[in-house]
Amino acid sequence: MYAAPLRSLVDELGRLPGIGPKSAQRIAFHLLRVSSEDALRLADAIVTMKERVGSCTVCFNVAEGELCEFCADPRRDTAVLCVVEDPRDIVAVEKTQEFRGRYHVLQGSLNPIEGVGPDQLRVSELLARLEGGSVCEVILCTNPNLEGEATAMYLARAIKPMGLKVTRIASGLPVGGDLEYADELTLGRALEGRRELDA
Ligand SMILES: [Zn+2]
């Protein structure tokens, strides 16, 4: 129906999360209408992001270069480590202004049905970091849903024998929800009210 290049753009846009065929079509036609300069700025932003942004070699947060801003910041407390599922959760925790430690990003949560086990997550890297010795408390800040709770329990069992304090963010967060969507006040309280886990 459309010229091939336009059709291929509609197809690509339609593969993006949350974008259905109608929206893909609307965005493609919008880009067709705007100036080349405006459209190419978007293309350039994608290329630049793909070239420059990768994973932090220590915590697996997104990073431009080898270390993310938190691992590179000497003012962050190395004694407290907050374990999250996704880099977007770091943004949520930072907004609470309740946490001054460092992070570790698992890059997902345990989900046996989808074939996600500990080996598919950054678990061995986390344990290796803890062996390093400077961490005293690990805050398990995984999502308050089934997979997040299972992941927290698994990690607590793996970490406790190392003699470290292991805490879990308090309940009060909407169950089944995503940290990413929690408001900063609720998440801040959940962090403050974290309780120690015994495994
Ligand atoms: Zn990092």
Side-chain angles (χ1 to χ4, degrees), residues 76-86 89-90 93-94 96-106 126 129-130 135-143 148-149 151-153 155-156 159-160 164-171 173 179 187-197:
R76 303 288 300 208
D77 186 359
T78 54
V80 198
L81 192 70
C82 181
V83 178
V84 295
E85 294 179 19
D86 190 280
D89 299 329
I90 293 182
V93 173
E94 282 300 300
T96 69
Q97 300 188 321
E98 290 280 342
F99 184 70
R100 295 295 303 157
R102 306 235 175 167
Y103 292 97
H104 190 86
V105 181
L106 295 169
L126 169 64
R129 266 182 96 178
L130 299 177
V135 177
C136 301
E137 180 185 355
V138 180
I139 306 174
L140 300 172
C141 206
T142 49
N143 285 327
E149 294 297 345
T151 308
M153 282 305 127
L155 292 177
I159 297 166
K160 269 277 176 180
L164 303 175
K165 186 176 177 187
V166 181
T167 56
R168 174 89 177 112
I169 45 171
S171 47
L173 290 167
L179 284 188
L187 183 55
R189 284 203 191 116
L191 264 172
E192 218 179 348
R194 65 186 183 267
R195 61 195 154 71
E196 193 159 359
L197 290 179

Side-chain angles (χ1 to χ4, degrees), residues 56-61 63 66-72 103 129:
C56 173
T57 53
V58 174
C59 77
F60 303 96
N61 183 18
E66 203 163 305
L67 293 179
C68 73
E69 55 179 305
F70 304 105
C71 291
Y103 292 97
R129 266 182 96 178

Side-chain angles (χ1 to χ4, degrees), residues 181-193:
Y181 303 118
D183 68 279
E184 52 247 49
L185 200 67
T186 311
L187 183 55
R189 284 203 191 116
L191 264 172
E192 218 179 348

